[in-house]
Amino acid sequence: MERLRVAGREIPLALVVNLRARRYVLRLRPDGSARVTIPRGGSRLAGRRFAEGHEPWLARQLERLANRPAHPEPWRLGTEVFLRGERRKIEAAVGSDGSAIQLGDEVISVGGSTADWRPVIERHLWRLAIRELPPRVLELAASHQLTVCRITVRNQRTRWGSCSRRATISLNWRLVQTPPFVRDYIILHELCHLREMNHSMRFWREVGRVCPDFAAAERWLKQHAALLR
């Protein structure tokens, strides 16, 4: 990840090659980082210069981002929340040990009522992710003859996953909110870093080989970037 100076401060800059892209595209992510899509035949140097040439636009977008509400919207009964890629309403329910709320097939026991169910549901989904994500990582790693030393599920606000040089895969618990094909793309993306610890053309060729529909997954993530807030 490179750094780019915008409006007197530095922000992260990701330069990503997309063999299907026809032109350079600059985006500002919800976490305040910038991303340049580099088309076939392009270069990282040209991608960086493209971003530098749009510094005023980035400065305006950063200002808009800073003016967004600091606190996320509360989740109340009737609020729709993503679970495995489907919008599910929060509903009142009765659990075996008293009152509960329900989100899709997930029944969550609660101690009483509240004006905001977000903290309760997020904790439950995090626990669900801890149960579901590591086995899926191991399954996909084995199918591609890769070895993972450690898997963590974290509460990240700026990324969906990461891979360290020590073969540690870290995943965002919010992946349980995404469709299975998106979840698998993120896992495969990080697993590919075990072969290419970069975002070079060779890396993206490997991603395309193991996950041919990765562009659709990227589109879904872009359309639902607010999940990271």
Side-chain angles (χ1 to χ4, degrees):
M1 185 78 73
E2 298 189 15
R3 309 290 294 183
L4 181 68
R5 192 161 187 82
V6 178
R9 67 187 181 96
E10 289 190 342
I11 64 172
L13 172 65
L15 300 170
V16 181
V17 175
N18 186 337
L19 299 180
R20 299 181 183 180
R22 297 182 178 180
R23 64 186 185 278
Y24 290 91
V25 177
L26 173 64
R27 295 185 179 90
L28 183 71
R29 292 166 164 170
D31 63 359
S33 65
R35 170 191 167 115
V36 173
T37 300
I38 302 172
R40 179 191 295 270
S43 69
R44 293 175 62 85
L45 177 59
R48 182 175 184 87
R49 287 176 177 170
F50 183 79
E52 291 171 344
H54 289 81
E55 189 266 351
W57 179 85
L58 279 171
R60 292 194 299 272
Q61 299 305 313
L62 283 168
E63 183 177 0
R64 291 177 183 175
L65 186 64
N67 291 331
R68 288 182 180 178
H71 301 289
E73 291 291 323
W75 288 353
R76 301 185 174 92
L77 292 180
T79 297
E80 291 187 338
V81 177
F82 272 110
L83 178 61
R84 300 187 181 95
E86 300 289 338
R87 291 185 179 273
R88 303 296 187 183
K89 283 187 178 181
I90 302 172
E91 301 176 318
V94 178
S96 59
D97 55 353
S99 61
I101 55 175
Q102 186 164 352
L103 184 69
D105 294 334
E106 297 295 317
V107 177
I108 309 167
S109 296
V110 295
S113 62
T114 178
D116 185 5
W117 291 111
R118 180 187 285 266
V120 173
I121 294 174
E122 287 190 341
R123 284 195 298 270
H124 180 83
L125 294 181
W126 194 346
R127 290 192 294 268
L128 188 65
I130 291 173
R131 292 200 305 268
E132 294 185 356
L133 296 181
R136 186 58 177 158
V137 173
L138 295 175
E139 181 181 1
L140 289 174
S143 68
H144 294 286
Q145 294 79 51
L146 293 167
T147 300
V148 176
C149 294
R150 184 168 176 248
I151 304 166
T152 65
V153 179
R154 302 170 59 190
N155 184 28
Q156 299 159 307
R157 286 291 182 182
T158 60
R159 59 177 64 184
W160 289 103
S162 62
C163 175
S164 77
R165 294 188 180 277
R166 295 184 177 181
T168 294
I169 302 293
S170 296
L171 298 173
N172 194 315
W173 65 260
R174 294 170 184 82
L175 284 175
V176 298
Q177 294 187 267
T178 69
F181 82 96
V182 174
R183 173 205 63 199
D184 285 356
Y185 159 65
I186 291 295
I187 294 173
L188 288 167
H189 180 114
E190 302 309 334
L191 288 174
C192 284
H193 281 307
L194 296 174
R195 291 185 173 137
E196 293 287 340
M197 192 58 69
N198 51 54
H199 285 99
S200 65
M201 290 186 69
R202 285 190 302 178
F203 168 80
W204 285 107
R205 281 196 293 267
E206 182 66 13
V207 171
R209 185 182 70 82
V210 303
C211 186
D213 62 346
F214 77 90
E218 286 273 6
R219 284 196 297 272
W220 195 96
L221 292 171
K222 183 179 71 172
Q223 292 167 1
H224 301 91
L227 285 176
L228 283 178
R229 294 191 205 127

